[in-house]
Amino acid sequence: MVIPNHHQTAQDRALIAQRFDRAQDYDGAAMVQRVTGRALMERIRVAQDGCEVRRILEFGCGTGFFTSLLRAIWPEAEIVATDLSAAMLRRAAERGLHNVTFIRMDAADPDGSAEVTGAFDLICGNLAVQWVEPPEQALAALAKRLAPGGLLAVSTLAGDSFHEWRAAHDMSDCIPAIRRYPSRDQLRNGWPCGRLATQWSFETLVERTNGGMAFLRGLKQIGATEPDARNISANLSPRLLRNVVRAFDRTGAVLTWDLAFGLFRAPPRAGVFVTGTDTGVGKTFVSACLTQAWDALYWKPLQTGLADEAGDTPEVIRLAKVGADRIVPPAMTFLAPLSPEAAAEKEGRSADVSALRLPMEQSERPLVVEGAGGLDVPVTKDTMMIDLAERFGLPVVLVARSGLGTLNHTLLSLEALRRRGMVVAGVVLNGSPNAGNRDAIERHGKVRVLAEIPAFSGVTSEIVADVARGFPAWSAIAGQAQ
């Protein structure tokens, strides 16, 4: 996320805290922080619609503006508001907000605060991430404090921020000391990865300043004058600074704020959603292997084709040798061997998507959820299988053929999942091993191939047991994003 990789020292963090401690005029000057805070809060409100929010952790709370927005939306939630600056915390506490605990915590080392304990349904920070370098480690530590299904939400600055001020330095042949921020692409492709479903969105705010000196005074008023440690030698002489200000003013004295908003969702329970690049690719066999390998529960929420066969659930029971205590019955069944939408229409019915709720029994035990067909199989006229997988919020295991034609189908499926910010636990290749295809899928799909399963003339429980031993342990799947 940070360019280039830079690790702040304790002295760096102490200097930042001192700057914010001295920011007496913060509330009057932090107008962009207010605009950004409201935009972040609206995204959180939409994302958390229908979700219970009992405990909230805010990092970088400043003087409490964003804390007050949280209090207004969730009046009864317990809020733990934290900041690096003790002076900021004192000002925030003066707002007199109900059921808010103010604690000094360094977002660069959230594990260093013994007072912040337990799991949180919502962890958030408004324009605080950019002060932590590198942010990946801190954000990953914060993510570990999420309750199942919890949301980590941040706003930060992206790479095009203040490009006019940088251009004024270029015109004056000097190096700007202000911080550099990751580009939008770096944010999309960077942290976090693994078990957190990710959504980035962006807005551009253009501010017409009262000139370069006013811009610098504004930074000082909000305590944001700590220079980038990578450009510490770029401190300007008064003459060079005057040149920069004149160059900035000549070009219109406007500033771009490139605002980035990240929403990161923890899975609601242990488990995976198994889907395929097409029908008949081996999802049920792989689901049986995973159920066996992880001592998991199994659920086929939508079962079609019962006019011709007993269905996938009895097959998994037979192949994985599992008892009824590890089987969640299908939520809906249909006779015709068609998509759920078409099979339901044959019977004069429609699939009730609202009834498809992820089972939460034994939530720490893996649940293998097997989809019907591929990602773009219709469930209803308005819902595709990928919508259902996204709603369940579990990491996805994609089953694909190993031979000719698999690259296009597999990479397109991976792209569709990543475009929605969904987590991909890995790919399983069915058929004769093909080293070239495996390598291409891992490189171009940026994904791990969990297993390559050779073709079998007949499938037995002994074969499933043998193949299951070749899959990664559940702890490796669950821990890949820790």
Side-chain angles (χ1 to χ4, degrees):
M1 246 174 94
V2 173
I3 324 164
N5 193 25
H6 170 70
H7 290 266
Q8 289 170 326
T9 65
Q11 185 178 10
D12 293 334
R13 302 295 296 160
L15 287 172
I16 291 172
Q18 290 173 16
R19 300 277 183 174
F20 282 107
D21 281 345
R22 295 195 294 267
Q24 298 297 323
D25 299 323
Y26 185 92
D27 287 328
M31 300 305 295
V32 172
Q33 283 78 356
R34 284 189 172 84
V35 172
T36 307
R38 292 190 182 97
L40 176 61
M41 181 55 67
E42 178 59 18
R43 286 167 168 81
I44 295 173
R45 187 190 64 78
V46 171
Q48 293 296 83
D49 186 34
C51 300
E52 189 173 13
V53 178
R54 293 161 294 188
R55 298 194 76 219
I56 300 172
L57 172 64
E58 181 189 4
F59 62 95
C61 71
T63 58
F65 169 75
F66 196 76
T67 318
S68 66
L69 297 182
L70 291 167
R71 180 79 294 156
I73 299 292
W74 292 285
E76 300 305 319
E78 174 194 351
I79 298 177
V80 178
T82 70
D83 201 277
L84 179 64
S85 164
M88 288 285 191
L89 287 170
R90 286 193 296 272
R91 286 174 234 165
E94 290 171 0
R95 290 178 180 263
L97 297 172
H98 164 68
N99 196 22
V100 178
T101 304
F102 293 96
I103 297 174
R104 188 180 183 278
M105 184 187 83
D106 187 349
D109 181 25
D111 292 335
S113 175
E115 296 177 84
V116 180
T117 60
F120 296 88
D121 304 300
L122 172 63
I123 299 176
C124 50
N126 178 45
L127 289 181
V129 175
Q130 67 271 14
W131 292 107
V132 183
E133 296 183 9
E136 294 92 335
Q137 185 175 347
L139 291 173
L142 287 165
K144 288 181 182 179
R145 296 171 179 261
L146 285 172
L151 181 73
L152 171 60
V154 302
S155 62
T156 188
L157 298 179
D160 203 37
S161 292
F162 312 146
H163 66 82
E164 300 91 347
W165 185 247
R166 298 183 194 281
H169 282 73
D170 290 341
M171 287 184 276
S172 304
D173 197 26
C174 54
I175 301 171
I178 61 173
R179 295 169 179 269
R180 288 193 173 274
Y181 307 107
S183 70
R184 293 184 176 191
D185 282 343
Q186 285 171 314
L187 287 169
R188 290 189 191 99
N189 298 323
W191 192 93
C193 59
R195 72 181 186 98
L196 295 181
T198 303
Q199 285 186 347
W200 280 104
S201 58
F202 304 91
E203 291 185 14
T204 300
L205 190 154
V206 178
E207 177 189 11
R208 184 167 295 280
T209 73
N210 290 322
M213 291 307 297
F215 167 59
L216 291 175
R217 283 194 296 270
L219 289 182
K220 186 175 181 180
Q221 285 175 311
I222 64 173
T225 52
E226 185 61 28
D228 189 334
R230 291 159 300 205
N231 292 334
I232 199 70
S233 61
N235 291 327
L236 301 183
S237 67
R239 180 183 63 79
L240 281 176
L241 182 59
R242 285 194 297 271
N243 290 343
V244 170
V245 168
R246 282 195 291 267
F248 177 74
D249 291 349
R250 282 197 305 270
T251 56
V254 297
L255 275 176
T256 294
W257 296 73
D258 190 9
L259 303 175
F261 302 88
L263 300 179
F264 315 110
R265 179 79 68 183
R269 60 159 300 142
V272 295
F273 186 95
V274 179
T275 189
T277 52
D278 56 81
T279 299
V281 76
K283 294 188 306 297
T284 302
F285 176 64
V286 170
S287 295
C289 293
L290 295 176
T291 302
Q292 172 83 243
W294 298 338
D295 191 28
L297 308 175
Y298 170 82
W299 183 43
K300 176 87 172 185
L302 293 166
Q303 177 67 66
T304 64
L306 291 181
D308 300 329
E309 58 184 31
D312 296 325
T313 301
E315 184 72 353
V316 169
I317 292 173
R318 179 182 75 85
L319 293 174
K321 287 190 172 181
V322 296
D325 61 321
R326 288 170 57 191
I327 297 296
V328 181
M332 281 173 273
T333 59
F334 306 97
L335 296 175
L338 303 169
S339 71
E341 178 192 29
E345 287 177 354
K346 285 275 189 184
E347 300 177 25
R349 303 162 56 195
S350 63
D352 182 5
V353 177
S354 65
L356 295 174
R357 299 186 183 279
L358 190 68
M360 296 305 294
E361 295 81 4
Q362 302 180 61
S363 61
E364 294 185 2
R365 188 176 196 170
L367 171 69
V368 175
V369 182
E370 183 184 349
L375 292 172
D376 276 347
V377 166
V379 176
T380 69
K381 66 177 182 178
D382 301 318
T383 305
M384 309 297 276
M385 194 57 59
I386 192 172
D387 299 314
L388 194 60
E390 184 178 24
R391 216 179 103 196
F392 289 156
L394 298 177
V396 174
V397 172
L398 179 66
V399 184
R401 304 185 197 281
S402 63
L404 187 66
T406 195
L407 294 182
N408 184 61
H409 295 163
T410 305
L411 295 178
L412 282 174
S413 295
L414 291 171
E415 182 184 354
L417 292 166
R418 294 267 167 66
R419 194 161 50 238
R420 294 189 181 218
M422 298 169 66
V423 179
V424 180
V427 171
V428 176
L429 294 175
N430 248 335
S432 300
N434 186 313
N437 282 346
R438 174 178 182 145
D439 178 66
I441 287 168
E442 289 190 325
R443 282 190 297 109
H444 296 292
K446 297 179 177 61
V447 70
R448 177 185 182 186
V449 172
L450 301 176
E452 291 180 278
I453 302 173
F456 297 101
S457 56
V459 179
T460 65
S461 59
E462 290 74 22
I463 288 174
V464 165
D466 184 55
V467 172
R469 284 190 281 271
F471 277 87
W474 170 250
S475 58
I477 300 296
Q480 64 182 328
Q482 298 300 320

